């Protein structure tokens, strides 16, 4: 059986970034992705300065920034249009030397696939498990019984990771208590000022509006999301995503309703929000985890993918510097576990007051948002997005 060097299971953002970083570190890499083909995923992704710093290290920051739109200020509103607070992020980004960028996921994926070149990613390969061999290598098995050998195995296979399932069979993800609807739509004229993101708080729900760069024929592409409490596993009836969203935001400030109305039903996604409690371990022997498989988190700091990208850079740096692969993997885990646990905890805290429904609790939340000086929010943001993950 041919040996493939480092085997990565999962061709999501984490797996693709890890493959690029590991190849740049001089390692042989093969990525195995269960999807049969790349499907365009119609949703935006915020890439904070920590992720953009990683892309700069990979030589991709210009291309990634060019694929999306800069996000320089957040304006928080009550559902009826009252401005609760403004968070200017320009100065922080200037100080950190990196912008915050919102991109369409599928376009980011194309940038990464181009950087990787042909022959690295194998589609239609769903991993079912692995065996650690006596000589220290690892044998990975796929649906259909095919096997490959590698020196080490990175489980970058997302929330329901097969690699994690074998390492930690008792771990279950937790439901965050809310679901998300995400839409992408082209609009003819500016609906919110360029560089600005709107966050709009209503009873039990949060609506976001972001720029996503240029759309087709001179239009502007916008990304919106709605997060609101819902029972786990809920589904919208066929063809009714838009109606379900509209029922929750009727009467909210413009352009909320008009953006949702203008979005094609096929361009709306519904996804439950899950997270993992910090895991007791991320790996053993030549096996480790990366991205959501290790630390899926709620979306309230928009850091899940950013943390996966950080993981990729740290893992590649350690595998380049440390000839003992197993030791490099354990050092990677010891660096990444506390960092990702903290960001995950901050994300849970950030979400704690956002989805309150009770009018008194909402009134108190809105007062807090109005009273909180931007410098306090920026200090906390800086501790997350300005963290030196390569130190
Ligand atoms: C509503 C929402 C909004 C979000 N917004 C942001 C944001 O703005 N910014 C941000 O940083 N993060 C955000 N996130 C989080 C982000 O999407 C995830 O953290 C990120 O996609 C994780 O990347 P990953 O590569 O680890 O996992 P995934 O993207 O889940 O990729 C895993 C890959 O593994 C493949 N796979 C799974 N099982 C197998 C198997 N057995 N064999 C082979 N392949 C397999 C899957 O097909 C998939 O391609 C958001 C998440 C949600 C739900």
């Amino acid at each position: 059986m041919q040996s493939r060097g480092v085997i990565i299971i999962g061709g999501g953002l984490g797996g693709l970034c890890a493959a690029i970083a590991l190849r740049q570190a001089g390692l042989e890499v093969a990525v195995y992705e269960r999807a049969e083909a790349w499907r365009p995923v119609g949703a935006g992704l915020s890439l904070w300065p920590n992720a953009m710093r990683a892309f700069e290290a990979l030589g991709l920051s210009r291309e990634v920034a060019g694929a999306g739109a800069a996000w320089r200020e957040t304006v928080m509103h009550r559902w009826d249009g009252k401005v609760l607070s403004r968070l200017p992020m320009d100065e922080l980004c200037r100080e950190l030397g990196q912008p915050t960028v919102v991109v369409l996921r599928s376009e980011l994926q194309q940038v990464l696939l181009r950087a990787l070149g042909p022959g690295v990613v194998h589609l239609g390969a769903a991993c079912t498990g692995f065996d650690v061999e006596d000589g220290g290598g690892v044998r990975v098995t796929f649906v259909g019984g095919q096997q490959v050998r590698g020196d080490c195995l990175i489980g970058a296979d997302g929330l329901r990771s097969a690699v994690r399932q074998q390492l930690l069979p008792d771990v279950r993800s937790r439901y965050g208590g809310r679901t998300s609807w995400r839409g992408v739509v082209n609009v003819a004229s500016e609906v919110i000022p360029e560089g600005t993101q709107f966050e709009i708080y209503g009873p039990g729900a949060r609506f976001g509006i972001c720029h996503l760069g240029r759309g087709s024929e001179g239009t502007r592409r916008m990304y919106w999301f709605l997060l609101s409490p819902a029972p786990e596993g809920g589904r919208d009836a066929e063809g009714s995503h838009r109606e379900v969203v509209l029922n929750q935001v009727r009467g909210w400030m413009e352009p909320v309703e008009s953006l949702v109305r203008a979005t094609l039903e096929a361009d709306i996604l519904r996804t439950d929000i899950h997270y993992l409690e910090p895991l007791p371990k991320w790996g053993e022997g030549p096996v480790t985890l990366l991205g959501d498989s290790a630390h899926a988190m709620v979306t309230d700091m928009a850091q899940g993918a950013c943390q996966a990208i950080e993981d990729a850079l740290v893992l590649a740096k350690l595998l380049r510097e440390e000839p003992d692969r197993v030791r490099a993997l354990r050092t990677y885990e010891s660096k990444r576990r506390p960092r990702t646990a903290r960001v995950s905890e901050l994300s849970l805290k950030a979400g704690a007051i956002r989805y309150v429904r009770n009018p008194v609790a909402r009134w108190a939340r809105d007062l807090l948002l109005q009273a909180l000086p931007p410098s306090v929010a920026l200090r906390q943001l800086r501790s997350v997005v300005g963290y030196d993950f390569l130190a």
Side-chain angles (χ1 to χ4, degrees), residues 301-359:
M301 293 202 78
Q303 273 288 327
C306 298
Q307 291 303 309
I309 298 163
E310 284 190 8
D311 289 348
L313 271 278
V314 175
L315 179 64
K317 178 175 185 274
L318 290 165
L319 280 170
R320 188 182 62 228
E321 290 171 354
E322 168 60 68
D324 180 334
R325 301 239 158 121
V326 172
R327 196 179 301 157
L329 298 189
R330 297 297 87 80
T331 310
Y332 153 77
E333 292 160 5
S334 68
K335 282 183 177 288
R336 296 305 298 160
R337 285 177 60 195
R339 159 76 168 154
T340 52
R342 176 164 182 273
V343 177
S344 183
E345 189 192 344
L346 286 174
S347 306
L348 281 170
K349 281 190 180 148
I353 58 162
R354 279 177 160 165
Y355 307 98
V356 287
R357 197 176 281 279
N358 171 296

Side-chain angles (χ1 to χ4, degrees), residues 78 82 84 353 356-370:
R78 198 165 66 189
K82 180 182 168 62
L84 298 172
I353 58 162
V356 287
R357 197 176 281 279
N358 171 296
V360 179
R362 270 164 42 210
W363 172 79
R365 187 264 325 275
D366 293 352
L367 267 189
L368 182 73
L369 283 177
Q370 285 172 275

Side-chain angles (χ1 to χ4, degrees), residues 10 42 53 68 70 82 97 113 174 177 220 372 374:
R53 181 173 165 224
K82 180 182 168 62
L113 287 170
R174 289 184 164 229
R220 288 148 209 269
L372 194 73

Side-chain angles (χ1 to χ4, degrees), residues 112-156:
L112 301 179
L113 287 170
R114 273 199 301 277
L116 214 42
V120 182
V121 184
H122 306 268
L123 293 173
C127 167
T128 53
F130 63 86
D131 296 288
V132 174
E133 297 179 323
D134 289 342
V138 58
R139 194 159 23 92
V140 182
T141 306
F142 299 92
V143 168
Q146 297 92 328
Q147 295 191 322
V148 288
R149 262 208 88 254
D151 301 327
C152 49
L153 170 65
I154 318 293

